[in-house]
Amino acid sequence: MSTIEKRPYYAAGLAAFIIWGFIPFPLKALAAYPSGQILYFRVALSVVLLLLISLLFRRKQIKAVLTQVKQSVPQEKRKFILFTVLGGALLTINWLLFIYVINHISIQTGSFSYLLCPIITAVLGFLLLKEELRTNQWIAIALSALSCALVGSGEIRSLLFSLMIALSYAFYLISQRILKDYDKIVLLTLQLILSFVFIGPFYSFFTEGSSAVLDSHFFLNIALLSAGFTVLPLFLNLFALKELTSGTIGILMYINPILNFIMAFLYFDEKTTLLKVLAYMIIFISVIIYNINLKGRKKSANGMVIPPVGTTAVIK
């Protein structure tokens, strides 16, 4: 396919990550509400939307996954169940942490975590899946470690939250690579159902002590968060992956945290230090170094990038 013919796919990929880049807006609009309560309704509405889409337009894919699981050997079935449940748990943890960080710490901290995430995922892939890393990628990993040290020397709390978000999402991505032969939308729908099951019994705990009223403002932003910042960019990303390589999507993914940083400083008036600016520059340089020689990278089978919160690569 020529470059001109690929334009709609590039446009879809760009649109997906630009949308995800503006996710702090609906989250900040809900800052008065507990993070767990936001997560509860965001997951609930996302599940409803994905179920409707799947039942109306993706029945063949659902049947294919069911057949695939039924026909697999017992060991494969156990692996499917284990990593689907694990994926749901990790996604829940990641989204909850991200919402809390954006609303109660800083957008910078949340954005930094998603710049770290690809590097941490690469290290985990090397350690757990025996994936090979090139020399320039090891250099990028070393620079990322230096960046973390600089952030930690200035504010250890922010670094710890960034690492927890990055690690939870990195482990999620690793678990989904193990399930790479299954339809990603079906997997995500199952994991969000499990996520709702996980957090449902704790709803009263999440809302304890909160006096915020669940009014039209709340539900409007929840609807925007679920439909506009989860389901819509997810399908745009899937459309882009039909013709673009996972490496290209990986580069586009960095639009998301870069937009987050810009908004943090220009719109939400967050402050930073010279040390943090240096750390952010180093991590950004490390990302560029890591992605050198993309032409040599293999295209992943049925890959998919998930958003924070919502973000990153398999939703990201």
Side-chain angles (χ1 to χ4, degrees), residues 197-249:
V197 171
F198 294 151
I199 64 178
F202 300 100
Y203 179 77
S204 59
F205 172 78
F206 289 145
T207 59
E208 188 176 359
S210 174
S211 58
V213 179
L214 300 184
D215 53 11
S216 58
H217 167 80
F218 175 82
F219 287 109
L220 178 63
N221 280 284
I222 287 292
L224 181 61
L225 189 60
S226 301
F229 287 88
T230 302
V231 177
L232 174 60
L234 167 61
F235 282 98
L236 287 171
N237 185 63
L238 274 179
F239 177 76
L241 277 166
K242 287 182 178 180
E243 292 297 335
L244 303 184
T245 64
S246 58
T248 302
I249 293 293

Side-chain angles (χ1 to χ4, degrees), residues 92-110:
T92 303
I93 293 167
N94 177 264
W95 285 16
L96 182 60
L97 285 171
F98 187 81
I99 292 171
Y100 177 81
V101 164
I102 291 295
N103 282 345
H104 301 288
I105 299 181
S106 71
I107 296 173
Q108 299 172 58
T109 301

Side-chain angles (χ1 to χ4, degrees), residues 107-146:
I107 296 173
Q108 299 172 58
T109 301
S111 303
F112 186 68
S113 67
Y114 280 103
L115 283 175
L116 283 175
C117 187
I119 305 296
I120 291 177
T121 303
V123 175
L124 291 177
F126 172 79
L127 295 174
L128 302 177
L129 303 180
K130 308 304 179 184
E131 295 178 347
E132 294 183 3
L133 292 172
R134 300 188 302 273
T135 301
N136 61 293
Q137 292 173 323
W138 282 114
I139 293 172
I141 290 167
L143 287 173
S144 298
L146 174 60

